[in-house]
Amino acid sequence: MEWEAVIGLEIHVQLTCCQSKLFSGAATAYGAPANSQASPVDLALPGVLPVLNREPVEAAIKLGLAIDAQIDQRSIFARKNYFYPDLPKGYQISQFEQPIVYQGHIDITLTNGEHKRIGVTRAHLEEDAGKSDHNGFGDQTGIDLNRSGTPLLEIVSEPDLRSAAQAVAYLKKIHSLVRYLEISDGNMQEGSFRCDANVSVRPRGQQELGTRTECKNINSFRFVEKAINHEIARQIELIEDGGRVVQETRLYDSDRDETRSMRSKEEAFDYRYFPDPDLLPVVINDQWITDVAATLPELPEAKIARLIAELSIKPEDAEQLASSRELANYFEASVAAFGEQPQTTANWITGELLGRLNKASITISQCSVSPEQLAGLVTQIANNTISGKIGKEVFAGMWDGDGDALEIIEARGLKQITDSSELEALVAQVISDNPDQVAEFRGGKEKILGFFVGQIMKQTRGKANPGKINNMLREKLAAYPTP
Ligand code: ADP
Ligand code: MG
């Protein structure tokens, strides 16, 4: 039996762009002393009333526009009732029947390079709950209500994803998008971007969906992939052994790489949603949408298309460069500084630069090499002052703060040898030093050419122009008398 996985994601995005909470004036900064950012509204003191702030609504409109969604011009807030110690009101204000954003979509790129459209069912505003702190208070639990009332945008996908890899690609797209839109910092460690993964399996070809389970609150791309793969395998094994998947909420344990049941459908909360009588409907007029649309930056898809069409960047590189606004800005600043060979600049960024950033676990904004410095390096390679290989050494020097490319090239004597007579002498020398290899070459072993090039590179510490010596070697070896 061939199985097909079906996945839908619910993503909780904390709208870190907002100065204050969804319904109160308290600040939302991360890491403040416990309960220092909780107003009477967040504490749910008697007699207080929530008042909707404008910023979170604008953030939702931005996302809606960016995913080509419908924006509901009259949406309502609802109470989602449940008891939890860090939820003093006894309900969370969310949206149920009329979310602000619905019916959008986003395209992901599959591993084979094809694109796939993923539907976004809805995106609604809701407030976050507080936090319980079970550590550091002996047998008591501390309650911190700083997070209470923080604005969240919950983005719910259609069950259109078919593998863990597709789910991660989708998640990364949304992550990149909220950062482009500057509605969230997307910080997964701090919980500003987390996801619930709904997973089911069905025999391939079957229309009807299988029973799903939901893994809650996963906060890294790697864990999302692992949790989904684990869950797919668990469900298939269960069914093949004659069992049945039960609809339930599961917890992904990254230490053990497994999912565990938290609660089944029977134990699921009945939230008893109803419209919040304390809040008026949100009315969004056309003018407001137009005004917000005018503030949108160039979005990833448009940027990718432009990099490919105008700068002839390879599609996979364009996608990587456009994955964050900062990286794309870096690339464009570097290309502007040199003015030629954008693909070469792209290669240096996707290869050497991102490799080093990854290794050092830092982001492009913390990179010690400026876009102009990188342009300086690409210029020196383009005009043959140095080879690409020496370029790596120069790049390392710039990374370590030793100066600009030209300064490093001069200080370390790295200029490429392009002088023909000097190169010819080197070629003649390597030929007379290695009669055995010359015989092999003349016997038809073309590959031995690399050996000669290698010898010369070794002698010159990589400074000989490889193209030139290759040509000279071929010429000389052809003319060389048979021993
Ligand atoms: P709930 O809030 O009860 O979890 P929602 O309807 O808000 O339910 O969303 C559930 C998520 O699960 C959506 O992303 C949806 O695409 C996905 N989903 C629904 N049914 C299935 C299924 N059978 N298999 C996988 N995913 C599913
Ligand atoms: Mg859910």
Side-chain angles (χ1 to χ4, degrees):
M1 169 89 75
E2 239 204 289
W3 294 97
E4 178 178 62
V6 174
I7 301 148
L9 298 185
E10 294 163 83
I11 306 173
H12 285 93
V13 180
Q14 190 188 327
L15 300 172
T16 52
C17 63
C18 300
Q19 301 293 308
S20 51
K21 297 193 175 168
L22 190 50
F23 302 110
S24 86
T28 53
Y30 180 82
N35 297 307
S36 62
Q37 294 178 168
S39 78
V41 172
D42 309 317
L43 297 171
L45 296 186
V48 296
L49 284 174
V51 177
L52 177 63
N53 281 314
R54 198 181 166 86
E55 267 187 312
V57 178
E58 276 190 9
I61 297 173
K62 280 186 187 171
L63 181 94
L65 290 169
I67 59 170
D68 258 329
Q70 304 293 317
I71 292 168
D72 204 333
Q73 305 215 326
R74 188 179 183 280
S75 78
I76 56 168
F77 283 98
R79 289 187 181 178
K80 180 180 181 180
N81 300 280
Y82 60 99
F83 173 80
Y84 215 74
D86 54 29
L87 186 74
K89 286 202 297 293
Y91 61 87
Q92 185 185 8
I93 306 177
S94 181
Q95 298 193 300
F96 187 54
E97 276 165 335
Q98 281 178 275
I100 291 193
V101 172
Y102 62 102
Q103 277 179 15
H105 57 80
I106 195 159
D107 292 345
I108 58 168
T109 309
L110 307 179
T111 40
N112 65 5
E114 280 173 26
H115 295 275
K116 177 174 175 171
R117 178 150 291 186
I118 307 300
V120 176
T121 319
R122 55 189 276 149
H124 64 253
L125 285 170
E126 65 181 24
E127 53 176 4
D128 209 344
K131 261 186 196 168
S132 297
D133 183 354
H134 304 292
N135 303 313
F137 297 98
D139 54 4
Q140 295 184 314
T141 289
I143 302 290
D144 177 6
L145 294 176
N146 279 352
R147 201 177 65 180
S148 162
T150 299
L152 298 178
L153 190 61
E154 179 173 340
I155 306 170
V156 182
S157 86
E158 289 289 305
D160 286 347
L161 302 154
R162 292 291 173 271
S163 67
Q166 286 183 18
V168 172
Y170 166 80
L171 195 61
K172 284 189 172 166
K173 273 272 152 111
I174 298 281
H175 187 253
S176 156
L177 196 57
V178 298
R179 299 190 66 238
Y180 260 80
L181 296 169
E182 292 178 333
I183 61 177
S184 177
D185 60 17
N187 190 322
M188 295 174 101
Q189 281 85 49
E190 292 176 2
S192 10
F193 193 89
R194 47 193 203 260
C195 138
D196 304 340
N198 295 270
V199 179
S200 66
V201 297
R202 63 181 172 190
R204 195 175 289 282
Q206 177 181 304
Q207 280 300 306
E208 197 190 328
L209 295 177
T211 305
R212 71 176 154 122
T213 62
E214 179 177 8
C215 291
K216 282 275 187 201
N217 276 327
I218 323 176
N219 67 351
S220 93
F221 294 120
R222 200 163 58 89
F223 290 164
V224 167
E225 178 148 26
K226 286 185 152 199
I228 292 174
N229 277 331
H230 181 280
E231 195 49 26
I232 294 171
R234 187 191 70 86
Q235 292 184 12
I236 293 174
E237 194 180 314
L238 184 66
I239 300 170
E240 286 186 341
D241 286 351
R244 213 167 45 82
V245 176
V246 289
Q247 186 172 341
E248 62 183 354
T249 304
R250 297 179 72 85
L251 178 86
Y252 176 66
D253 179 341
S254 55
D255 292 333
R256 297 202 207 160
D257 188 26
E258 63 175 28
T259 64
R260 272 200 302 279
S261 179
M262 275 169 78
R263 55 184 129 85
S264 68
K265 194 183 176 187
E266 288 70 38
E267 304 161 282
F269 299 121
D270 175 359
Y271 295 119
R272 292 171 192 273
Y273 280 98
F274 65 88
D276 192 318
D278 288 344
L279 287 158
L280 291 168
V282 188
V283 176
I284 300 170
N285 60 24
D286 290 337
Q287 188 57 47
W288 195 5
I289 297 177
T290 312
D291 291 346
V292 173
T295 68
L296 294 187
E298 181 183 38
L299 296 176
E301 295 311 311
K303 205 182 277 290
I304 292 168
R306 184 171 56 79
L307 296 186
I308 296 171
E310 290 179 13
L311 300 177
S312 306
I313 300 300
K314 288 188 213 148
E316 63 271 28
D317 291 342
E319 189 148 334
Q320 193 170 15
L321 291 168
S323 64
S324 90
R325 218 166 138 178
E326 294 83 357
L327 189 62
N329 287 346
Y330 185 101
F331 167 70
E332 297 206 62
S334 191
V335 168
F338 178 30
E340 289 168 43
Q341 301 192 7
Q343 180 63 50
T344 312
T345 302
N347 293 344
W348 276 94
I349 293 177
T350 57
E352 198 67 16
L353 189 118
L354 284 183
R356 280 176 179 270
L357 291 178
N358 268 343
K359 212 161 161 197
S361 291
I362 55 174
T363 64
I364 188 76
S365 54
Q366 298 160 292
C367 180
S368 55
V369 179
S370 72
E372 293 73 22
Q373 280 181 306
L374 180 66
L377 172 64
V378 180
T379 309
Q380 297 313 319
I381 298 168
N383 68 18
N384 279 323
T385 306
I386 54 168
S387 65
K389 199 159 173 216
I390 293 287
K392 289 203 176 172
E393 184 180 340
V394 177
F395 187 90
M398 297 197 302
W399 180 271
D400 294 338
D402 293 348
D404 293 342
L406 208 52
E407 286 168 3
I408 294 169
I409 292 166
E410 266 158 20
R412 301 189 191 175
L414 296 175
K415 267 206 179 116
Q416 185 158 251
I417 307 166
T418 46
D419 176 63
S420 296
S421 54
E422 203 172 327
L423 290 176
E424 257 164 35
L426 287 163
V427 167
Q429 190 63 43
V430 81
I431 288 176
S432 71
D433 284 352
N434 300 284
D436 294 349
Q437 282 78 4
V438 172
E440 282 184 51
F441 179 82
R442 296 185 59 80
K445 196 172 168 195
E446 280 268 325
K447 272 201 298 199
I448 203 84
L449 203 69
F451 164 80
F452 294 111
V453 177
Q455 290 296 309
I456 295 175
M457 283 302 183
K458 214 156 132 194
Q459 273 177 39
T460 60
R461 288 182 38 240
K463 289 188 297 185
N465 179 317
K468 277 197 171 177
I469 48 174
N470 241 299
N471 290 340
M472 285 182 179
L473 275 164
R474 277 185 189 283
E475 224 172 86
K476 277 263 156 52
L477 285 167
Y480 211 67
T482 320

